[in-house]
Amino acid sequence: MDSITDHVKVLNNQREPEHHDSIILAEFDKWRVRELILTQEKAMFLWTESNKYKALFSDFTLGDIANFSRGLLAPDSLWYEVIDEADELVGVLSVTELNRITDCEVHVLFFDHKLQEKAPLCRQMIEHIFKIYPLRRMTVTIPSICFALIRWAKKVGFQEEGRKRDSLLMGNRWVDQVILGILRQEVV
């Protein structure tokens, strides 16, 4: 399999088709969040858009469609789409590694570059996830060179807990990753 479309076709053959009932899980200003129902068209859009953001991938995974597909189709993850008032997809929020039971990883990507404006919406989603899963905490791990993303995480309520030094190769140089966490009792 060498394309995201091939990976989605396999996924669609393994699962019964779901239909999108458009249940809005969170809403703030002109943005809404609902569960991402993956179609071949959306998968291709996500692949194309995410490749525009070099900070999303290390030098080892940049352009690696198989790696991207594994993340997108992981069984222990939840994916949500962020849409605007015109029902246009403007970003995604995902929660991965739910198999760890007490902790998970949170990831966001907004294609309209309005990350800070969506912090209240993301906070609502963190609250929603804590209400439906017995998680003790959530973690976000951010390359130290992504200053806006670190500001966003703190605005949502994540607190800096530490660093993994020289843990990510980006642009042919090693960078630290900043580890931030949020606890259940800080949210609900």
Side-chain angles (χ1 to χ4, degrees), residues 2 9-10 14 19 24 27-28 32 38 46 57 61 66 75 77 81 95 109 118 122 125 138 143 153 187:
D2 49 349
K9 282 180 185 174
V10 169
Q14 292 172 349
H19 59 38
I24 302 302
E27 192 167 0
F28 177 77
R32 297 167 297 168
L38 194 61
L46 292 173
F57 304 98
T61 59
S77 65
E81 61 185 7
V95 181
L109 174 60
K118 294 182 189 72
C122 294
M125 282 307 297
M138 292 186 200
V187 177

Side-chain angles (χ1 to χ4, degrees), residues 69-136:
S69 297
R70 277 191 301 277
L72 192 59
L73 304 175
D76 58 343
S77 65
L78 301 170
W79 284 77
Y80 301 98
E81 61 185 7
V82 180
I83 54 175
D84 64 14
E85 66 274 2
D87 249 14
E88 295 293 321
L89 181 63
V90 296
V92 290
L93 184 143
S94 69
V95 181
T96 62
E97 300 183 49
L98 284 163
N99 59 324
R100 295 186 330 205
I101 301 173
T102 60
D103 188 12
C104 65
E105 292 286 331
V106 176
H107 310 271
V108 295
L109 174 60
F110 293 110
F111 312 122
D112 63 357
H113 303 283
K114 296 178 181 171
L115 179 64
Q116 302 304 327
E117 293 177 18
K118 294 182 189 72
L121 179 73
C122 294
R123 175 67 181 220
Q124 286 181 32
M125 282 307 297
I126 297 297
E127 291 171 9
H128 171 75
I129 294 163
F130 270 127
K131 286 178 184 170
I132 61 173
Y133 287 93
L135 297 165
R136 173 103 177 111

